[in-house]
Amino acid sequence: MAALDLLGRRWSLRVLWELRDGPLGARTLRERCDGMSPSVLYVRLGELTNAGLIVQRDDQCYELSDVGRSLDKALIPLDQWARRWAETTTP
């Protein structure tokens, strides 16, 4: 799967974003990603792990890999843009 295809899949970027501050277990990730079904969560975790963007630790928590952390640096400007956009479109 091409990197942009994976990142464009629903919930992929959200999972990566939630892991930006450190490792999380699957249950916590699901709670932070309101509305994500457990089956979709585990599919995305598998895809992101296979792509080398996240790793599963011995304690079953997930964290960004070095490659995933480098992507996180690219997501910060996107988040800043989205916040500015939200401010201009909120009535």
Side-chain angles (χ1 to χ4, degrees):
M1 176 182 310
L4 285 179
D5 290 337
L6 174 58
L7 296 177
R9 299 189 98 183
R10 189 170 187 196
W11 298 110
S12 291
L13 287 175
R14 179 68 183 269
V15 168
L16 294 169
W17 183 252
E18 294 300 337
L19 291 172
R20 75 192 182 282
D21 292 327
L24 296 172
R27 179 177 293 200
T28 303
L29 270 171
R30 186 165 175 255
E31 290 169 0
R32 291 189 180 189
C33 297
D34 301 329
M36 183 192 304
S37 72
S39 60
V40 171
L41 172 62
Y42 286 105
V43 167
R44 291 299 170 269
L45 290 172
E47 292 170 340
L48 293 167
T49 300
N50 290 338
L53 297 174
I54 64 173
V55 294
Q56 187 176 20
R57 301 172 356 158
D58 290 338
D59 63 1
Q60 303 306 305
C61 287
Y62 294 87
E63 67 182 340
L64 295 173
S65 66
D66 290 340
V67 174
R69 277 191 289 283
S70 69
L71 176 61
D72 182 53
K73 293 173 186 168
L75 295 178
I76 292 170
L78 182 59
D79 177 60
Q80 292 168 342
W81 176 88
R83 290 175 191 268
R84 286 191 306 272
W85 175 78
E87 290 172 5
T88 63
T89 59
T90 304

